[in-house]
Amino acid sequence: MQNKDTAAGEIFRFKQQHWHLLPERVIYWEEEKALVLSDLHLGKSAHFRKAGIAVPAGIMQEDLFRLQQLITRYLPVRLIIVGDMFHSRHNNEVQYFKIWRGQFPHIQVDLVLGNHDIMADEIYSQLEVNTYDTLTVRDIHFIHEPCGDSNGYQYTFSGHLHPAVVMAGPAKQRLRLPCFYFGRHCGILPAFGDFTGLATLDPYPDEPVFVIAGKSIIRTQ
């Protein structure tokens, strides 16, 4: 079941929980008072510039500002980040995040380590970020890379793929848009970071998919 969120998203009742699916590519988990997101890839633009690849400046600041707005709106007590919070090793943008983090000392930040989260443990500790290989809350399991059809847990959310589906427009145009995917055993979160690609999914007909189209959430099946 679902109904409209007052903040232009959708409230999806699933696994006896209320998930607010937001166009900012984040879930607000009502029962846990938590924002759930994946694949921020903070520092990715700095990593590319260091390698001599020209990318726009300010991408990280814009992403953290979006997250700050969500924190102000929903007043979470917890952030659950499902992998790839940072893109690579320590760089100057880590210090920027430390300053940003200082605005929210009351919020618990839990990071499920992704393949790009390769900084030393003491850096995460200095940032007041708790790290886990896997995390289970209320029988909901979080890992970074997508799980198999059956993994022994009640339900699993992952990130990593930056999922999308192809939508057909009225003029026969085809758009590939990010989405929230709720598979039979495993769900996949969209990438929060703007500086990320997309991977097209081919879901089964009975698997709920919510497409993010600008400031709207559209259920396609």
Side-chain angles (χ1 to χ4, degrees):
M1 295 177 62
Q2 79 210 60
N3 59 276
K4 284 289 181 183
D5 188 330
T6 56
E10 293 278 347
I11 301 176
F12 185 39
R13 293 185 178 90
F14 185 73
K15 301 297 179 183
Q16 300 179 329
Q17 305 293 302
H18 293 77
W19 310 94
H20 297 239
L21 311 181
L22 307 176
E24 291 86 354
R25 304 190 290 279
V26 175
I27 293 177
Y28 177 66
W29 185 1
E30 188 174 313
E31 284 75 12
E32 281 296 308
K33 296 182 173 59
L35 290 174
V36 182
L37 59 155
S38 182
D39 295 273
L40 285 79
H41 289 277
L42 301 177
K44 185 174 182 178
S45 56
H47 178 75
F48 275 52
R49 287 195 297 272
K50 186 176 180 180
I53 301 171
V55 296
I59 293 173
M60 174 181 174
Q61 289 86 343
E62 291 173 5
D63 286 342
L64 288 178
F65 180 65
R66 283 195 295 125
L67 185 53
Q68 179 178 325
Q69 289 178 309
L70 291 169
I71 290 171
T72 301
R73 185 194 311 167
Y74 287 95
L75 303 177
V77 299
R78 185 178 197 179
L79 299 182
I80 299 174
I81 302 172
V82 193
D84 285 357
M85 179 177 179
F86 292 97
H87 184 73
S88 188
R89 300 187 184 279
H90 190 285
N91 58 50
N92 291 336
E93 293 192 347
V94 174
Q95 185 60 32
Y96 183 93
F97 174 82
K98 185 176 182 179
I99 296 170
W100 180 92
R101 173 75 173 102
Q103 301 175 81
F104 310 106
H106 60 289
I107 296 179
Q108 176 178 328
V109 179
D110 293 326
L111 169 64
V112 179
L113 293 169
N115 54 300
H116 283 283
D117 294 311
I118 57 175
M119 294 191 300
D121 292 342
E122 57 264 28
I123 296 177
Y124 294 109
S125 179
Q126 292 168 11
L127 297 174
E128 298 183 66
V129 174
N130 306 314
T131 59
Y132 308 85
D133 292 324
T134 63
L135 178 65
T136 303
V137 183
R138 292 182 185 247
D139 292 327
I140 301 293
H141 193 58
F142 297 93
I143 61 176
H144 178 59
E145 298 197 14
C147 68
D149 287 340
S150 180
N151 63 355
Y153 296 96
Q154 190 171 31
Y155 199 78
T156 299
F157 281 113
S158 66
H160 187 62
L161 286 184
H162 312 170
V165 293
V166 175
M167 301 283 287
K172 297 185 179 180
Q173 72 271 35
R174 295 172 66 82
L175 298 174
R176 193 167 56 149
L177 298 173
C179 67
F180 298 94
Y181 163 74
F182 291 83
R184 295 169 183 173
H185 303 285
C186 312
I188 305 176
L189 302 171
F192 178 81
D194 274 333
F195 192 32
T196 55
L198 294 171
T200 304
L201 298 180
D202 186 19
Y204 290 107
D206 61 341
E207 295 178 325
V209 174
F210 295 84
V211 173
I212 302 162
K215 295 182 179 181
S216 299
I217 299 291
I218 303 170
R219 181 167 181 170
T220 61
Q221 57 185 53

